[in-house]
Amino acid sequence: MSESCEITLTVNGVRHQVSVEPRRTLADVLRIDLGLTGTHVGCEHGICGACTVLMDDQPVRACLVFGVQADGSSIRTVEGLAANGELTDLQQAFSRHHALQCGFCTPGFLMLAEGYLAETPAPDRVAVREMVSANLCRCTGYQGIVDAIVDVAEQRFHERPI
Amino acid sequence: MKPASFEYHRATTVSEALTFVNELGEDAKFIAGGQSLVPMMNFRLARPTALIDIMHIPKLNSIYRDGDSLIVGALTRHRTLELTTDASVVEGFALLSSAARWIGHTPIRTRGTIGGSLVHADASAEWCMMARLFDAQMTLEGPRGRRTVSSGDWFQGMFSTAADFNELLVEIQFISPRRYGALAEFARRHGDFALAAVAVAFDVVDDRLCNVGIVIGGVEGIPVRASEAETLLEGASLGAVDVEGAARSAAAGVEPMESEPGEAAYRRHLVDTLTRRAIHDALATRVQ
Ligand SMILES: Cc1cc2nc3c(=O)[nH]c(=O)nc-3n(C[C@H](O)[C@H](O)[C@H](O)COP(=O)(O)OP(=O)(O)OC[C@H]3O[C@@H](n4cnc5c(N)ncnc54)[C@H](O)[C@@H]3O)c2cc1C
Ligand code: FES
Ligand code: FES
């Protein structure tokens, strides 16, 4: 076993210092060391997107980043979305549009969409379809996921401060 | 699966990275975006004893113009190249931004780097094709000092390049701008590596095609130039471009890999179709 390294991660605004083996992926650091099991792990080779989190505001595959590589960065996970028990507009839209069935893929889609909408405030439907093709959902057929994201994009666009 | 254990070292300068690799030897590996290396480690197809993280060498993350050339630092992310569309920087290399969009998906492109892609050297990788198309020069730093390898000599076989284990790719210089270009690909699923891909670029002078480049990716073990098809199109007048002839010639010229029975014939067929499509699309960029 190789030596553990001390790393610092800011996760959902909270600073954590953890000692991890270099081979531990960011997904496993979040799940095992920090107990944040909202980030799911499916394939561990970048295909399914269940592990998608925001690293310094950019969507990344947490299974393809080692925790040690993420040292010093700021991470957002699905646990950071709802505040005081109140779901965010995006989460509510997922619920309203039946954008989930089993829910395994949902944390990944939420973080992917969260990162995307921050960068692209008024996407069209085609662009949203293209973007969600990054992640796999075995249940919904994507229609509801696209509907939810388009809905939130429009809502946020109309409510934006001018 | 989980990867085997390894030591981790973070380099913040090129010389630090070279010192690490010199000390750690051949079983150590540089890690950039990790988007090819980490999946291989998770599958235990790769078991480096140590990783040298090069992502924190700021000076290798850059895109700038130098006369006719476009110079890209090895650590530049796919996503950055995708979003770089400023004509004063990418004039003659506009295809790079659209090619980037074919690489996996956004969360892969935010981490993966052009240098990692060129060293990994998948025959269908978009950057490997673009390097051949725009005659890239790869600059390496290593124990022998600094040296430059042209794209024609860079690819030495499947997943194999001219770079030695202890050399760091620092910079990629694209030297042959072309005004018009297009990339056509076919993959079974959106975002997958292409089964076959064809990139075309040319200039137009006095209504005739010139500096024609055609690159075929994913069909042989390395990306290849379709030189006969290029010659066929060189000097063609815009009204009479023999698209069919060029496509036939490109398809006839390849020696496709075959991992499943029938795949070679299928890939050859794809080269024909994709060459037509790429030439048509490139001509259409001219009309716009
Ligand atoms: C789901 C998925 C889909 C993908 N689809 C595509 C696709 O369609 N097209 C495509 O082209 N790619 C695709 N990729 C691969 C992706 O583009 C990688 O980013 C790229 O191949 C490697 O770049 P990296 O920075 O991640 O390199 P790493 O994975 O960090 O490294 C790759 C190799 O290069 C070496 N290396 C890296 N940088 C240097 C350097 N500067 N000098 C010397 N050696 C170096 C490493 O030691 C390693 O051997 C996909 C990946 C995934 C996970
Ligand atoms: S678990 Fe990371 S992409 Fe599937
Ligand atoms: S809701 Fe089951 S995988 Fe998407």
Side-chain angles (χ1 to χ4, degrees):
Chain A
M1 202 173 99
S2 60
E3 249 170 72
S4 290
C5 303
E6 287 284 322
I7 62 167
T8 307
L9 293 177
T10 304
V11 184
N12 302 323
V14 181
R15 255 172 82 96
H16 297 271
Q17 254 188 326
V18 271
S19 174
V20 295
E21 254 194 281
R23 71 188 187 122
R24 188 150 273 190
T25 63
L26 175 60
D28 284 346
V29 174
L30 293 168
R31 291 176 55 83
I32 299 168
D33 297 287
L34 301 180
L36 296 170
T37 53
T39 299
H40 290 172
V41 172
C43 66
E44 299 188 311
H45 63 279
I47 300 291
C48 73
C51 65
T52 307
V53 299
L54 299 183
M55 179 170 166
D56 295 327
D57 298 325
Q58 299 282 324
V60 302
R61 302 293 206 224
C63 71
L64 297 188
V65 180
F66 290 116
V68 284
Q69 291 176 283
D71 182 18
S73 64
S74 170
I75 308 293
R76 286 181 63 201
T77 69
V78 68
E79 286 91 347
L81 292 181
N84 308 322
E86 172 101 16
L87 296 181
T88 63
D89 53 353
L90 185 65
Q91 288 171 307
Q92 287 176 25
F94 265 59
S95 162
R96 199 165 56 245
H97 290 280
H98 305 286
L100 61 148
Q101 288 176 27
C102 79
F104 187 82
C105 67
T106 312
F109 274 102
L110 287 169
M111 298 322 288
L112 178 70
E114 191 65 24
Y116 176 73
L117 290 175
E119 231 177 51
T120 322
D124 61 29
R125 212 180 159 81
V126 176
V128 171
R129 279 205 85 84
E130 160 84 28
M131 187 265 306
V132 298
S133 74
N135 287 17
L136 293 179
C137 174
R138 284 288 167 98
C139 303
T140 66
Y142 293 83
Q143 206 62 28
I145 297 175
V146 174
D147 290 344
I149 297 170
V150 169
D151 190 358
V152 172
E154 283 170 6
Q155 211 174 302
R156 287 189 189 174
F157 190 73
H158 291 304
E159 288 165 11
R160 76 194 184 283
I162 303 177
Chain B
M1 267 169 61
K2 310 294 178 193
S5 2
F6 57 87
E7 279 173 36
Y8 174 81
H9 303 276
R10 193 180 270 199
T12 52
T13 62
V14 170
S15 64
E16 213 180 349
L18 296 177
T19 308
F20 277 129
V21 75
N22 186 38
E23 278 166 14
L24 298 163
E26 205 155 346
D27 294 330
K29 260 189 171 304
F30 296 121
I31 185 166
Q35 303 300 291
S36 291
L37 187 54
V38 182
M40 285 167 63
M41 290 173 66
N42 286 356
F43 272 125
R44 304 216 176 181
L45 293 171
R47 302 180 68 143
T49 52
L51 289 185
I52 304 157
D53 189 349
I54 57 173
M55 280 295 250
H56 302 269
I57 306 178
K59 97 172 198 221
L60 302 188
N61 191 353
S62 60
I63 304 179
Y64 65 94
R65 188 82 190 190
D66 182 14
D68 271 352
S69 294
L70 181 72
I71 300 174
V72 182
L75 293 179
T76 307
R77 315 288 194 276
H78 308 326
R79 181 80 176 147
T80 311
L81 282 152
E82 176 186 354
L83 299 177
T84 305
T85 50
D86 178 354
S88 68
V89 181
V90 296
E91 190 177 6
F93 302 102
L95 187 56
L96 297 181
S97 163
S98 29
R101 269 173 248 151
W102 287 94
I103 306 175
H105 300 283
T106 310
I108 309 295
R109 300 199 287 267
T110 55
R111 293 283 300 164
T113 67
I114 185 170
S117 176
L118 288 166
V119 174
H120 184 63
D122 189 297
S124 59
E126 283 73 13
W127 295 140
C128 298
M129 294 181 67
M130 291 301 120
R132 284 298 268 136
L133 189 67
F134 293 110
D135 302 316
Q137 303 274 333
M138 269 59 77
T139 300
L140 294 162
E141 290 213 27
R144 286 178 276 180
R146 207 172 157 94
R147 67 181 181 118
T148 296
V149 182
S150 72
S151 66
D153 299 326
W154 178 259
F155 301 103
Q156 305 214 322
M158 242 190 190
F159 302 112
S160 148
T161 71
D164 222 337
F165 80 93
N166 55 7
E167 286 182 301
L168 193 68
L169 174 59
V170 291
E171 195 172 273
I172 301 99
Q173 181 172 11
F174 294 96
I175 59 174
S176 306
R178 255 71 135 272
R179 197 78 208 262
Y180 309 104
L183 170 64
E185 295 199 2
F186 181 78
R188 291 211 174 90
R189 277 182 318 189
H190 183 64
D192 279 7
F193 276 106
L195 218 49
V198 177
V200 171
F202 50 77
D203 284 319
V204 175
V205 175
D206 296 335
D207 283 342
R208 285 179 184 279
L209 305 195
C210 59
N211 301 327
V212 180
I214 303 178
V215 173
I216 300 165
V219 172
E220 300 193 19
I222 61 174
V224 289
R225 292 286 285 248
S227 33
E228 276 181 36
E230 289 175 356
T231 313
L232 214 129
L233 292 185
E234 192 70 33
S237 78
L238 271 179
V241 179
D242 184 7
V243 180
E244 317 273 296
R248 259 197 314 273
S249 154
V254 288
E255 288 176 36
M257 301 181 277
E258 177 156 272
S259 39
E260 291 164 34
E263 206 177 83
Y266 181 47
R267 282 202 154 104
R268 193 186 297 284
H269 177 73
L270 283 175
V271 171
D272 188 313
T273 307
L274 295 170
T275 306
R276 279 168 216 242
R277 198 175 292 167
I279 298 171
H280 279 301
D281 289 354
L283 287 167
T285 57
R286 186 168 180 281
V287 178
Q288 278 165 10

